[in-house]
Every structure is written in C-alpha cells, then in structure tokens.
Amino acid sequence: MSALLSVENLRIELDTRAGVAPVIDDLSFSLNAGETLSFVGESGCGKSMTALAIMGLLPEKIGRVASGSILFNGEDITKASDERLREIRGNDISMIFQEPMTSLNPVFTIGEQVAEVLRRHQKLGRKAAWSTAVELLNSVRIPDAARRAKSYPHQLSGGQRQRVMIAMALACKPRILIADEPTTALDVTIQAQIFDLLEDLQAQTGSAIIMITHDMGVVAEIAERMIVMYAGRMVEHGNVDDVLSRPRHPYTKGLIGCVPHLMATLTDSRPELTEISGIVPGLNEFGQNACLFASRCNLVGQQCVQARPKEKQFENTQLSACWHAESV
Amino acid sequence: MESRQTQDEHDTLLEVENLTVRFPVKRGGLFRKKQWLHAVDDISFTIKRGETLALVGESGSGKTTAALAVARLVNAHAGHVHLNNQDFLALDDEQLRTARAGLQFIFQDPYSSLNPRLKAEAIVREPLESLKSSNRQNSGASDANTSQDHDRIVDELFEAVGLRPEQKKLFPHQFSGGQRQRIGIARALATEPALIICDEPVSALDVAVQAQILNLLRKLQTDRNLTYLFISHDLGVVQHMCDTIAVMYMGKIVEYADRLSLFNNPQHPYTAALLSAVPSVDRNRRSKFKRILIPGDMPDAINPPPGCRFSSRCPAAQPACEESQPELTAKKSGHLVACHLVSETGESPIHFKR
C-alpha cells in the first residue's frame, strides 16, 4: 500500500540573525490513511515546523524548503502553486492549533466561521453552509449548537473553542488532520473530552492524524507510531509501544524518565527523576556533522562529536539515530 | 496560645481553618444585588513540618487563590491561618513584614517573577535586605557585619540551587528558564522560611528542565527540612512531590487524603475522573483504569449549582445531590470526602477500575 503522505529527505532552512539554520534536517517519514502518528520533542525541535511545511505555511521570506519532497497522494506539495495549496488546505489537509482563542476571529460568530470554510471549499450556499455548520458544531458536542452558533469566540470556554476549531478543521472531511499541541492550554478533564472526540471523529471519517505534543502520556494514549525530534532531526521512530517500553535513543529515554508518570500502582518509592543536563542547542549549532545531543548525553563517545549518527534499524522496525543505539 | 502547643500540634506548621475568599462581581444594573464569587469556600487543611501538601485542581478551582490568601496576598473574608502557632491573619502590617520572612513563594513563571533590572545576586539578596530593615526598626541592632553576612548567604544559596558564583552578576534575561527558576528558589530560601508555597513551579518549563527543578526541590526539602504547600494541576508531579493531597473543585475541597491512598483508591467521583483523565505511558495503568469522561465545563462560579457543586457533571449524581451540599467527612478509609454517595467505609459510587 502506498502511503497517504510521504516526506522524503526534507530540509527546511530558516534565515536567522546568525545565518541560515536547517530547522528540519533530512527528515523522512510516511503516514498511512487512518493512522495516528505523533511527533514529540521539546520546544524548538522542529515538530511544529514540520506541520507548517506540510500545510505550505512556512514563515514567508525567511523559511523555505531547501531540498526534499512532501508527497501527498503522490503529488509533491512543495512544488504546488499557491492556488493548489489553498485547495489542499482545508479540503485534504487541515490543522488545529494550541491556542484556540488566537486562532479564531473575534469579530465573527463561530457559526459564520465554520460556514465560511464550507462556502469557500465546498461552494455551499449561505443557508446550506449555515445549517451544515450547526450540524458540525453538534457533532463536536457543542451543547445547544443552533443557538451557540451565534456566539462569539470570547463567549465560549477554552474547551468549546477547541471544539469549534476541530469542527472547522473537519468541515471538509480532510484526509489528514494535523493537531499541534491541541490540548496544552486545556485542563486535563477537558483534554480527555477532546481526545475522546478526536477518536470518535477519526473512526467516522477515517482521517489520519498527526499529533504534535511534548507529553509522552498523550502519545501513549492516542498514537500508533511516534517520531522523536531533537534540534531539527529525527532521533527515533517506531511503534509507540515499542519505543515507550524500550527506547533506543538516549534522548527518548531521558524524555520518558524525566517526567513523573502516574503508574498502575503507586508505591512508597519515589526515585529521583532522570535529568537531561544542559539545554537544547541554539539555532546556530543546527546542521553540524555530529550528534547534536552529544553535549547532554551520558553515552557520548569520540564518534558522536565527529559524525552525524547513521539511522540504525532494529528488527521491530524501530529506528534510532544514535551511534550507541544497541547499548541504550 | 499556650494551649495550642501540645506535642502533636508542635509538629503542625500550618493550620488553615474555614478559609473563605470572595470577590465582588460587577454585573450591570444600578439596583442589582451585589454578587459574590466564592473563589475559596470554607476550606481547612494542615501541614506538618517537613511535609508537602498539594492543593490540586483545574483552572478556576481556587487553589492559587487559597495559597495567596494563606500568604495574605489577597484578603481572606473569613477563617484562620496559623503559621508556627501564630495567628497570621491577625498580624498588623509591621508584624506581618517580619512574619512574612517565614513564608515565601516560588512562582509559576520564571520570566515575569524576576525583576529584569536587578542582577541575580540582588534578586536573591532583596528579601534579606527588607528583613534587615524591619528587624532594625524592631531591635535597633547594629548592621556593621550584616552586609558581609548577606554576601556569604547569597554565595551559599547560589551553590545550594546549582548556580555558579560568576552567574551572580548576570541579569535575568541572560539565564534559561530553568536557571531563572533556580534564582526564584534561591530568593525563596534566603530568609530561611518555615513554609514555602510553590505555585505551579514547573509548569512553564520544558519537560527536560522540569526534572531538574523537581529533584532540586526535593533535595532542598531533605537537606533543610522544608515544608511545602504545593499548588499544581499536574497529577504526575503531585504524585511525585507530595505527602498529602487536597483535591479542589469550585472553591471547595472535595477529597483529602494521603498520597498512596488517594492515587490508588480515589473515592470522590471528581477525583476519580481527574485521575482517569491523565494520559499515562504505563500500559498497565491504561488497562487497569477506565477513562471516566465528565461532560461539559465547570459551571458559572457566581451561580454555582445548588447542593453539590459537582452534581451538574457527576456521572453518579442522584437527585439528592442537587439538594444539599455534602460536608467533608472522615471515612473509615482515612479519606476526608465531600460526597453524599461515598459510603461510610469509603466505597466510591464510581468504579473506575476495569
């Protein structure tokens, strides 16, 4: 089966004050129809930049695809015209963002904003678009949707605003939904509601989901495969269960161990959390021919600072970009 | 005050009784009745010396307001706060300034809680200076050596929180988020407070840095026998840091229990829902517990539901729950629970184990 989305050797460069930085450095992965893939990493690791590249929304003038390709259904969208991209966005690929307040327009009612998507992309008339919008708001479990459609964003709670964003994103039944930290600004019980909703909608529409998060718990809860990013590079890739139970990159291992998780049974022992010493490299250090994690790694050896690690593949298809992958 | 100092109470550092904080709400209409938002509604808890109590809850639960009221950074409408057997809410301004040395804050946002115009050492030194000025007024002691003393204390604090001596001369913007939080911790330790209130101390930090700060807080607690009042929405962090947990919902404590018991055997339906909503990397946990979804959002805090405040979202609610407000009562399980439906023995109406 050929993949729905296939990213090959993608390199994205960003102009910074210190020069050109490869914020995505030779990234390859594929996404199959209907599956959920998660990107994990700290701020600045390139996970959101990947999403923006797929959407064709890289920061204008300063960001560009330097090499590689993004194939959606076989079509390279890095070479698509602006017009074609507008068609793809919304219809085929859509996105929800972290802060639902700033992504909604404060001067239009939520019904109008959802209806606009339908008029623009599905060429529905005013009335048809409005009634479909109300149905959509209902399907994302906005209570009393017909009346609520006439509300402005500030009249809704954070959870409801995120539901509106989901309604807009799913209005045209996209093949891919990119969710960039969709619940980071929300309380945990509201987060559970949103995940439940996404799972339901995914089952109905068959959309594939790319979930961007920093929370390993979220990954475990909703994704089948995961990619761990560090300083613009993929450091580990594999099935969620495999990676979480046996990480093959020291950074992944650190990310899992540095957070106190709720376990099945709590005991009296509270071991120290694993610390990842130091901080993420600055943009001026991106792109070196070395392991960028070396300065924070306790397995660091001579080879790590002399050459970028080759990806090592394990039998269970897990990939690790570490010279010491076997001994992690 | 003498009578308070029995042996058991000597161990108690902070005792909060029936604390209530309310804010007036302006809502149109000249002749409208004045309305109140009860941000914290009649809560009581105690913290023993050297231990950590967590106030947990979601946004709007009143956990931060409760902490601010304990420190008298907002005014309590009713209730008592005893810190070190001293009636904290009854102190006048002058006494309060001295007494505040015994109670310090670590704030959530290390970016906005440090004065950008002061060097790191001046930030850490500031509480010492203000304590000195209030002490001098009280005792008239000479301060010839205090400046050197302060230098020594600042040096020692920088080392204790893991900052290098040469970083004393830097300004806040020259530090990373984690390092700034270390400055905030050093500042909180400067006056050797008996109680430190940690208000979401790691939620603004990247996950890799959180571990450093949490480990540091625990190490300092052991080394210096510190007592923490820990405010957090992150149940993983709470589980790791705290001995006793009070779960808040809409200004009320709904469940109060020790760490193991609360996490392994939650009894209030809200606690159960909250715990079940936390995404976990542990496959066994996911197969052991169901996800309990509670519908909707927290209701309007100005017109809370009559009866139990959680009744509008509670999956187990009965008609009786909407009629009277449940009291926080002790169950045989050792938990304090405010729910009509939890039995005497601590049987929860919610079965969230599969």
Side-chain angles (χ1 to χ4, degrees):
Chain A
M1 187 180 74
S2 79
L4 178 62
L5 182 80
S6 159
V7 172
E8 282 158 21
N9 306 103
L10 184 68
R11 179 182 171 94
I12 295 170
E13 292 179 348
L14 204 61
D15 296 332
T16 68
R17 251 181 283 176
V20 174
V23 286
I24 297 292
D25 193 354
D26 197 17
L27 174 70
S28 302
F29 69 91
S30 62
L31 176 74
N32 295 322
E35 80 166 333
T36 303
L37 169 69
S38 198
F39 280 82
V40 212
E42 291 172 272
S43 347
C45 70
K47 51 195 199 301
S48 295
M49 206 51 88
T50 309
L52 293 177
I54 297 169
M55 292 292 284
L57 289 174
L58 288 173
E60 255 179 90
K61 295 204 177 89
I62 59 164
R64 75 195 79 81
V65 174
S67 60
S69 57
I70 302 173
L71 300 173
F72 172 69
N73 261 342
E75 175 186 1
D76 189 349
I77 50 182
T78 63
K79 300 198 169 63
S81 65
D82 285 355
E83 199 184 344
R84 174 71 189 127
L85 274 175
R86 269 197 295 275
E87 248 173 58
I88 292 174
R89 281 195 295 261
N91 269 329
D92 296 314
I93 307 178
S94 54
M95 184 159 174
I96 52 179
F97 299 89
Q98 175 173 349
E99 202 358 279
M101 188 64 210
T102 51
S103 351
L104 288 169
N105 189 331
V107 301
F108 290 101
T109 64
I110 57 167
E112 284 167 331
Q113 296 186 54
V114 179
E116 189 198 357
V117 179
L118 295 158
R119 284 192 286 139
R120 190 61 73 83
H121 288 286
Q122 309 220 315
K123 313 288 179 240
L124 292 186
R126 220 163 248 282
K127 272 195 176 154
W130 180 267
S131 62
T132 314
V134 171
E135 276 170 39
L136 279 164
L137 291 173
N138 195 37
S139 73
V140 295
R141 303 177 201 158
I142 299 269
D144 197 3
R147 196 176 55 85
R148 271 302 196 186
K150 294 177 192 141
S151 305
Y152 290 90
H154 75 270
Q155 296 169 308
L156 306 181
S157 69
Q160 285 177 333
R161 286 198 285 260
Q162 196 57 285
R163 287 161 195 277
V164 174
M165 289 303 299
I166 294 173
M168 287 169 71
L170 296 179
C172 305
K173 302 200 170 53
R175 309 284 302 279
I176 301 174
L177 174 68
I178 303 175
D180 187 359
E181 305 257 11
T183 55
T184 307
L186 303 176
D187 277 321
V188 59
T189 57
I190 308 296
Q191 166 172 286
Q193 293 173 1
I194 299 288
F195 287 163
D196 191 62
L197 174 68
L198 281 177
E199 281 168 5
D200 264 16
L201 295 172
Q202 186 177 30
Q204 286 167 29
T205 62
S207 300
I209 295 181
I210 295 180
M211 173 67 70
I212 295 170
T213 179
H214 65 275
D215 184 339
M216 285 288 179
V218 169
V219 177
E221 204 83 30
I222 73 165
E224 287 124 36
R225 275 193 304 136
M226 64 190 283
I227 290 173
V228 183
M229 301 279 294
Y230 187 77
R233 294 174 181 172
M234 176 199 291
V235 295
E236 184 154 9
H237 180 183
N239 294 320
V240 169
D241 284 342
D242 293 340
V243 175
L244 290 182
S245 56
R246 181 91 167 81
R248 292 293 193 167
H249 193 285
Y251 180 61
T252 315
K253 195 176 175 186
L255 270 188
I256 298 170
C258 69
V259 178
H261 297 287
L262 285 189
M263 305 307 269
T265 309
L266 215 62
T267 60
D268 262 326
S269 91
R270 282 183 267 178
E272 269 209 349
L273 301 169
T274 325
E275 291 183 16
I276 307 178
S277 61
I279 53 167
V280 288
L283 281 176
N284 54 345
E285 294 167 56
F286 278 45
Q288 294 171 4
N289 184 22
C291 175
L292 295 175
F293 187 61
S295 63
R296 306 174 76 185
C297 184
N298 49 13
L299 293 177
V300 62
Q302 201 55 35
Q303 202 172 16
C304 306
V305 291
Q306 285 170 347
R308 177 174 175 173
K310 293 207 165 45
E311 279 172 9
K312 157 97 186 132
Q313 178 145 26
F314 291 85
E315 267 176 36
N316 61 4
T317 71
Q318 207 168 335
L319 278 178
S320 166
C322 173
W323 289 118
H324 304 290
E326 276 98 350
S327 43
V328 174
Chain B
M1 282 297 140
E2 279 303 301
S3 64
R4 302 191 66 87
Q5 297 202 345
T6 59
Q7 185 53 45
D8 190 41
E9 287 186 348
H10 193 74
D11 287 347
T12 301
L13 177 70
L14 180 76
E15 186 169 11
V16 173
E17 284 171 299
N18 309 107
L19 187 69
T20 298
V21 182
R22 57 180 203 179
F23 299 112
V25 186
K26 287 203 184 85
R27 267 198 182 173
L30 182 59
F31 299 106
R32 286 278 289 274
K33 218 175 94 190
K34 196 167 192 180
Q35 284 183 304
W36 296 95
L37 185 152
H38 286 82
V40 175
D41 196 356
D42 194 16
I43 68 167
S44 304
F45 58 86
T46 56
I47 313 181
K48 288 202 181 108
R49 242 171 256 282
E51 295 201 341
T52 304
L53 174 113
L55 291 179
V56 308
E58 300 179 283
S59 24
S61 62
K63 54 192 192 301
T64 296
T65 309
L68 292 172
V70 167
R72 285 186 60 177
L73 294 173
V74 300
N75 286 330
H77 170 67
H80 297 281
V81 174
H82 289 279
L83 178 68
N84 259 333
N85 295 316
Q86 190 177 28
D87 187 350
F88 204 66
L89 299 188
L91 302 176
D92 66 29
D93 285 358
E94 205 51 57
Q95 293 166 320
L96 181 62
R97 198 179 317 175
T98 324
R100 275 237 177 90
L103 182 159
Q104 293 289 305
F105 249 94
I106 298 171
F107 295 98
Q108 171 171 5
D109 185 357
Y111 292 85
S112 60
S113 60
L114 302 180
N115 185 340
R117 295 163 60 167
L118 291 184
K119 287 179 181 165
E121 66 174 338
I123 291 172
V124 176
R125 204 186 172 101
E126 206 174 18
L128 294 169
E129 305 282 343
S130 38
L131 184 64
K132 183 184 74 179
S133 58
S134 60
N135 275 350
R136 190 171 45 203
Q137 282 166 1
N138 291 344
S139 64
S142 105
D143 55 54
N145 290 324
T146 48
S147 176
Q148 281 166 8
D149 284 350
H150 290 177
D151 286 345
R152 186 182 49 72
I153 295 172
V154 170
D155 285 348
E156 191 256 335
L157 286 169
F158 263 67
E159 196 189 331
V161 300
L163 292 169
R164 295 190 305 275
E166 68 268 23
Q167 291 177 312
K168 287 195 300 186
K169 304 285 180 206
L170 300 179
F171 288 95
H173 73 269
Q174 293 169 294
F175 291 91
S176 68
Q179 289 172 327
R180 284 181 211 217
Q181 199 58 303
R182 288 175 195 269
I183 300 173
I185 293 171
R187 174 178 61 186
L189 292 173
T191 56
E192 297 182 19
L195 178 71
I196 297 185
I197 300 178
C198 310
D199 186 8
E200 305 265 14
V202 296
S203 28
L205 304 174
D206 247 328
V207 283
V209 182
Q210 289 189 9
Q212 299 169 13
I213 298 298
L214 294 176
N215 284 344
L216 175 65
L217 286 172
R218 288 199 64 191
K219 180 173 184 302
L220 291 169
Q221 180 165 40
T222 324
D223 293 352
R224 294 163 184 249
N225 195 32
L226 297 175
T227 308
Y228 292 141
L229 172 57
F230 203 91
I231 314 295
S232 182
H233 70 281
D234 185 331
L235 289 144
V237 169
V238 165
Q239 167 274 119
H240 188 71
M241 298 297 291
C242 302
D243 305 298
T244 314
I245 290 113
V247 181
M248 292 188 69
Y249 185 77
M250 291 190 77
K252 290 262 185 205
I253 291 178
V254 296
E255 186 161 3
Y256 188 102
D258 69 77
R259 166 181 178 269
L260 279 186
S261 186
L262 186 106
F263 280 97
N264 287 332
N265 186 22
Q267 287 160 21
H268 194 285
Y270 177 65
T271 314
L274 194 62
L275 290 181
S276 81
V278 180
S280 173
V281 295
D282 183 4
R283 208 186 309 176
N284 296 331
R285 182 178 169 86
R286 275 178 282 141
S287 51
K288 185 171 167 187
F289 298 118
K290 284 184 278 203
R291 198 193 278 172
I292 302 165
L293 282 182
I294 49 175
D297 293 293
M298 211 179 264
D300 183 6
I302 298 158
N303 300 302
C308 173
R309 292 185 178 185
F310 187 54
S311 59
S312 62
R313 302 170 77 195
C314 180
Q318 302 290 323
C321 300
E322 289 165 32
E323 281 157 23
S324 67
Q325 224 175 76
E327 293 289 319
L328 195 64
T329 46
K331 305 293 175 188
K332 289 208 175 80
S333 54
H335 292 216
L336 296 177
V337 189
C339 175
H340 291 310
L341 305 175
V342 174
S343 74
E344 270 311 295
T345 52
E347 197 89 23
S348 176
I350 298 278
H351 302 286
F352 89 128
K353 285 184 186 154
R354 285 193 210 266

